Amino acid sequence: MATYQEFIQQNEDRDGVRFSWNLWPSSRLEATRLVVPVSCLFTPLKERPDLPPVQYEPVLCSRANCKAVLNPLCQVDYRAKIWACNFCFQRNPVSTPQWTKLSCRPKHYSTIEYRGRGPSNPLIFLYVVDTCLEEEDLQALKESLQMSLSLLPPNALVGLITFGRMVQVHELSCEGIAKSYVFRGTKELSSKQIQEMLGLTNPAASGPQGRPVAPQDPAVTCRFLQPVHKVDMNLTDLLGELQRDPWPVPQGKRPLRSTGIALSIAVGVLEGTFPNTGARVMMFTGGPPTQGPGMVVGDELKTPIRSWHDITKDNARHLKKATKYYEALANRAAVNGHSIDIYACALDQTGLLEMKCLSNLTGGHIAMGDSFNTSLFKQTFQRVFSKDYNGEFRMAFGGTLEVKTSRELKVSGAIGPCVSLNAKGPCISENEVGVGGTTQWKICSLSPSTTLALYFEVVNQHNAPIPQGGRGAVQFVTQYQHSNTQRRIRVTTVARNWADAQSQIQHIESSFDQEASAVIMARLGVFRAESEEGPDVLRWLDRQLIRLCQKFGQFNKDDPTSFKLSESLSLYPQFMFHLRRSPFLQVFNNSPDECSYYRHHFVQQDLTQSLIMIQPILYSYSFHGPPEPVLLDSGSILPDRILLMDTFFQLVIYHGETIAQWRKAGYQEQPEYENFKHLLVAPVDDAQEILQTRFPMPRYIDTEHGGSQARFLLSKVNPSQTHNNLYSWGQETGAPILTDDVSLQVFMDHLKKLAVSSAA
């Protein structure tokens, strides 16, 4: 019999699903007592090389308010040619064509991908480029954009908008002459006005309520969006000839940057030409928006861009207005299935705090760096176009996710890169968590690692027990446009057993997935942190942890030394300890833009990457053998060791004091110290392996004992030795950390004390 750990891993590999509990409490009351809600992390497009799409559409339940897809959990009467829906128990007759599909369906596939009907649409990429950059930066960006054209499929449509003080929409269909439409960067225009000015409306073909519809004439449709194979040379030349914004920038002023209008025009162009079709706006900016709608800071350099201090004191005068403006743009883009990427490279903040919703709501990427002329940006941008095992882009467009549940469960909501489609149905919970009040969400852009957290509510009453052996089921239906332009439908159906929490509490406890639960609760914390004060979120997380320990810990009342947690919960408190210190919840030492960047990636990455973000991985290299994972603790920082720390956003190689001295003395250059040379190279090779695959590319930091960048390591490790308790430690047992943060040991002592307290 498989252990729960093996069961959990098999389910993740096969279906991309990790539930917080793998046995579900059979009543609402018992479910609330478990503290961590019945919830899951779901990766809709989990890479499955062994899952080719079947060439027909799914068979649906005939009940109008169900429409669940036929799946391996359904009962099939082969004699009567009837199948019973496992969600609403409707008995469905099967037509002869359906019966052929049914008889050849894979019986054991809990996840299956179907080829959908409908026209195939080309991939669409619209570049929105800031020209208020330093010459060197602009040159590097132009080269990256030219390179990207060679990575696009020949039939993909591409467009170009540039902006500085003015906004230029470049017409790509004219031969031999560069033609563009220029807009003022301060004047807000409606979608209709933009489309009329650019000639995108066709008076003879207006849609319902006078809305413009996509014109039929391809020359009209595509003046601004042309197939790559037609305009490759033209666009390469056009990009090569791009000049810095010509408007002079007086001393002590910032350049006037009309980011808000540029994005508004990009959204308007796509709304007018390709509504409800997958498309990508890729915005490259080198500074904050400084004029027009969506401005974040004025052009006076003596006025710094808002800090956390300004925000808490309500001194950020543009914050609310700019955020509202970008949220409206993000919602317009999301409704049409268009995603927006932000590539922001500058030494100061660029307004990501206000603009983050553009990517958060549409599933777009956010990449952040110091300059476009760095390998960090160049490699990250190149990886957007990486290919899978079939040689196809690892990106999908215009996705929708629908969740169906059996009667005892209702959907509370989702947290991830999605917006609500406000689809009403019988399985919607009144208790909203995250984006709730719906059973369907739009995910405009998906990659194989895009992961949503979904929260459920058990609604079965305490006095109406579920029959022994009953199972609850959840079905995820993801419809999307594949990068090869086909429509696809991926259906995943999973079930878990119900358990009576009175008599089977130990079984429920054993079924706890502490890794998934840590990420699920962390997402809830990050979601709350967007609208609540930081200390309130930390208090809420602490309360949940104490309640969980009171429920499942074994202890004698008022005796902290007797407290014990079972193996299935033993790591959970330390995940919470590291989460409390993480940049997702601690704004100290991180600018508002950096916090927005970290949170953006945390709420859409898969479980493995999310855990690395919460609790970084530390490897130790020594002469005594191969590298080994060590505790993320100051006790692991030894003079004769090299450490490699992976925080997801940074890769830090730290050389201990003795190693650093030897390296400085150049021992690695001497033939008799070849083993030392190998020791220095080993962590660099391992770091390169991670650097080559991760998106976005992490920052690479090489530092040593006493080096200024050693702070990246020292701020992450558990400070078990500090300047306060140094006298109690022997020599050579690690490095003391100068901090007032509590250590994991102190945190655990407090937790035990509160969990066993009879006053609690």
Side-chain angles (χ1 to χ4, degrees):
M1 188 183 156
T3 63
Y4 269 114
Q5 211 44 55
E6 289 164 344
F7 172 78
I8 287 165
Q9 197 55 57
Q10 284 165 5
N11 275 269
E12 184 179 17
D13 294 342
R14 188 183 63 226
D15 301 322
V17 178
R18 291 274 294 251
F19 275 97
S20 52
W21 304 94
N22 290 288
L23 264 184
W24 293 343
S26 54
S27 75
R28 175 186 286 182
L29 181 65
E30 293 300 346
T32 54
R33 287 177 178 164
L34 293 187
V35 184
V36 175
V38 172
S39 44
C40 73
L41 292 170
F42 177 54
T43 308
L45 300 190
K46 174 111 182 138
E47 269 189 324
R48 285 279 306 273
D50 60 335
L51 192 73
V54 293
Q55 300 300 312
Y56 54 81
E57 292 215 313
V59 177
L60 304 181
C61 172
S62 56
R63 184 171 293 200
N65 67 352
C66 177
K67 299 278 187 206
V69 177
L70 172 66
N71 61 78
L73 302 172
C74 296
Q75 296 291 318
V76 180
D77 184 338
Y78 286 92
R79 229 182 238 163
K81 292 194 177 179
I82 284 174
W83 65 276
C85 174
N86 62 316
F87 290 97
C88 70
F89 308 112
Q90 172 84 3
R91 289 171 67 76
N92 298 286
V94 186
S95 65
T96 307
Q98 283 184 331
W99 188 254
T100 316
K101 299 170 192 174
L102 188 59
S103 54
C104 66
R105 77 189 170 114
K107 305 283 188 293
H108 57 285
Y109 273 21
S110 45
T111 294
I112 188 163
E113 186 147 323
Y114 300 89
R115 174 101 184 254
R117 268 199 309 224
S120 58
N121 294 303
L123 304 186
I124 302 162
F125 297 89
L126 178 52
Y127 296 157
V128 181
V129 181
D130 174 9
T131 55
C132 300
L133 302 174
E134 295 298 325
E135 196 58 63
E136 184 190 330
D137 248 21
L138 184 60
Q139 187 55 40
L141 176 56
K142 291 190 313 194
E143 286 167 14
S144 286
L145 294 174
Q146 287 168 326
M147 172 277 302
S148 72
L149 293 179
S150 65
L151 301 175
L152 297 178
N155 62 346
L157 301 184
V158 64
L160 177 66
I161 294 173
T162 56
F163 67 96
R165 186 172 185 166
M166 301 290 180
V167 180
Q168 287 180 277
V169 185
H170 296 266
E171 196 172 297
L172 302 179
S173 57
C174 22
E175 286 294 328
I177 180 166
K179 184 177 172 188
S180 61
Y181 288 68
V182 182
F183 292 81
R184 280 221 322 265
T186 50
K187 188 174 182 188
E188 191 166 351
L189 299 166
S190 70
S191 184
K192 195 174 175 205
Q193 287 171 311
I194 291 166
Q195 287 155 15
E196 281 170 0
M197 288 175 172
L198 295 173
L200 295 174
T201 47
N202 186 342
S206 60
Q209 288 99 43
R211 287 182 64 186
V213 297
Q216 300 309 303
D217 179 359
V220 176
T221 306
C222 295
R223 273 183 312 158
F224 307 103
L225 293 163
Q226 284 278 305
V228 172
H229 67 87
K230 276 193 187 173
V231 293
D232 195 4
M233 298 296 289
N234 268 3
L235 187 52
T236 302
D237 293 345
L238 179 57
L239 286 167
E241 288 159 13
L242 276 186
Q243 300 293 315
R244 285 181 68 194
D245 190 52
W247 293 90
V249 181
Q251 188 78 30
K253 299 270 191 180
R254 293 185 178 90
L256 291 170
R257 191 180 272 108
S258 317
T259 316
I261 292 295
L263 283 165
S264 168
I265 291 168
V267 171
V269 165
L270 288 173
E271 272 176 337
T273 50
F274 290 96
N276 301 311
T277 306
R280 242 198 150 86
V281 174
M282 308 180 96
M283 201 257 290
F284 305 86
T285 182
T290 49
Q291 74 161 4
M295 71 183 280
V296 166
V297 65
D299 65 340
E300 290 280 351
L301 273 171
K302 66 182 182 196
T303 312
I305 191 168
R306 42 92 197 112
S307 63
W308 281 121
H309 181 72
D310 296 326
I311 293 166
T312 48
K313 292 277 182 282
D314 210 13
N315 279 343
R317 56 184 286 233
H318 302 291
L319 176 67
K320 285 182 182 146
K321 199 174 172 189
T323 305
K324 192 177 172 188
Y325 176 78
Y326 291 117
E327 274 175 0
L329 276 184
N331 281 307
R332 271 171 57 197
V335 163
N336 281 295
H338 304 149
S339 71
I340 301 174
D341 297 347
I342 302 172
Y343 303 91
C345 288
L347 291 169
D348 198 4
Q349 295 184 77
T350 56
L352 276 185
L353 174 69
E354 291 80 358
M355 294 191 285
K356 66 188 175 196
C357 53
L358 293 166
S359 301
N360 290 353
L361 300 184
T362 66
H365 300 307
I366 295 183
M368 192 171 146
D370 295 340
S371 159
F372 288 110
N373 195 23
T374 58
S375 66
L376 188 82
F377 164 72
K378 290 174 185 174
Q379 298 273 339
T380 297
F381 182 50
Q382 203 168 332
R383 270 171 218 174
V384 172
F385 305 99
S386 68
K387 305 272 176 71
D388 66 9
Y389 49 90
N390 281 329
E392 290 169 328
F393 282 148
R394 281 193 164 95
M395 60 171 90
F397 295 84
T400 61
L401 172 66
E402 183 176 4
V403 177
K404 299 173 189 298
T405 61
S406 48
R407 290 174 177 181
E408 308 85 0
L409 271 184
K410 291 202 173 176
V411 183
S412 296
I415 296 178
C418 59
V419 290
S420 168
L421 281 174
N422 294 311
K424 301 304 172 196
C427 55
I428 296 174
S429 166
E430 290 171 10
N431 298 322
E432 284 189 33
V433 177
V435 182
T438 182
T439 54
Q440 291 181 29
W441 296 266
K442 188 103 178 173
I443 314 166
C444 299
S445 175
L446 292 134
S447 77
S449 64
T450 303
T451 301
L452 282 86
L454 293 147
Y455 299 84
F456 303 96
E457 183 185 13
V458 178
V459 291
N460 203 53
Q461 291 306 318
H462 196 56
N463 52 8
I466 295 165
Q468 195 68 36
R471 305 184 86 195
V474 180
Q475 187 172 77
F476 307 94
V477 182
T478 311
Q479 303 193 39
Y480 67 97
Q481 179 188 330
H482 193 273
S483 63
N484 66 9
T485 73
Q486 292 174 359
R487 291 299 304 171
R488 295 275 184 89
I489 303 162
R490 190 183 283 207
V491 181
T492 297
T493 313
V494 294
R496 296 290 184 271
N497 290 337
W498 295 106
D500 174 24
Q502 301 292 314
S503 58
Q504 295 176 289
I505 192 69
Q506 281 179 320
H507 291 299
I508 293 175
E509 184 180 347
S510 309
S511 81
F512 184 64
D513 182 342
Q514 52 191 333
E515 293 181 340
S517 298
V519 176
I520 283 163
M521 294 302 276
R523 282 210 190 187
L524 261 178
V526 168
F527 184 82
R528 294 174 78 120
E530 290 293 328
S531 55
E532 296 178 28
E533 294 290 321
D536 293 345
V537 177
L538 291 178
R539 272 194 292 274
W540 173 80
L541 271 174
D542 290 345
R543 272 202 308 276
Q544 305 305 307
L545 178 59
I546 293 162
R547 283 180 56 212
L548 190 73
C549 290
Q550 285 170 336
K551 174 75 178 171
F552 292 105
Q554 296 171 352
F555 55 86
N556 303 324
K557 276 277 182 211
D558 296 321
D559 179 8
T561 56
S562 66
F563 182 86
K564 267 204 311 245
L565 278 175
S566 69
E567 199 182 337
S568 61
L569 287 109
S570 57
L571 297 174
Y572 188 79
Q574 79 181 43
F575 288 139
M576 291 298 113
F577 168 76
H578 288 290
L579 175 66
R580 294 173 97 265
R581 305 180 78 216
S582 72
F584 313 117
L585 300 180
Q586 293 289 351
V587 300
F588 176 74
N589 232 359
N590 291 304
S591 69
D593 276 15
E594 284 172 315
C595 271
S596 301
Y597 171 68
Y598 293 140
R599 286 174 182 175
H600 163 84
H601 285 287
F602 183 70
V603 297
Q604 55 177 295
Q605 281 293 345
D606 61 22
L607 175 123
T608 308
Q609 308 303 335
S610 301
L611 276 181
I612 293 172
M613 293 185 211
I614 293 173
Q615 183 172 327
I617 298 173
L618 194 62
Y619 293 98
S620 176
Y621 296 76
S622 72
F623 292 113
H624 311 305
E628 53 182 4
V630 290
L631 292 173
L632 188 66
D633 191 284
S634 57
S636 300
I637 304 173
L638 299 170
D640 61 345
R641 299 280 197 280
I642 302 176
L643 296 175
L644 169 61
M645 182 177 71
D646 180 4
T647 73
F648 183 83
F649 299 105
Q650 296 109 6
L651 279 175
V652 182
I653 294 179
Y654 173 91
H655 299 85
E657 190 171 5
T658 310
I659 300 276
Q661 287 166 356
W662 290 347
R663 186 169 67 152
K664 215 167 274 176
Y667 286 165
Q668 67 276 20
E669 311 298 338
Q670 299 173 24
E672 64 266 35
Y673 291 108
E674 196 165 340
N675 62 340
F676 179 55
K677 185 180 181 178
H678 290 318
L679 180 66
L680 289 178
V681 169
V684 177
D685 289 347
D686 290 348
Q688 283 305 323
E689 236 172 88
I690 299 169
L691 284 168
Q692 276 164 20
T693 53
R694 181 162 301 158
F695 179 87
M697 188 177 174
R699 186 171 162 193
Y700 178 67
I701 296 158
D702 188 313
T703 187
E704 59 184 32
H705 172 82
S708 67
Q709 291 193 311
R711 67 184 188 277
F712 286 100
L713 173 72
L714 301 180
S715 65
K716 292 287 181 191
V717 294
N718 164 37
S720 56
Q721 297 133 277
T722 69
H723 57 295
N724 293 324
N725 63 7
L726 186 59
Y727 63 88
S728 62
W729 291 85
Q731 288 302 299
E732 304 299 307
T733 54
I737 311 288
L738 301 173
T739 182
D740 289 328
D741 279 1
V742 300
S743 68
L744 178 59
Q745 186 59 51
V746 173
F747 177 78
M748 287 304 295
D749 288 346
H750 277 273
L751 175 61
K752 289 173 185 176
K753 203 166 163 185
L754 290 163
V756 304
S757 165
S758 47

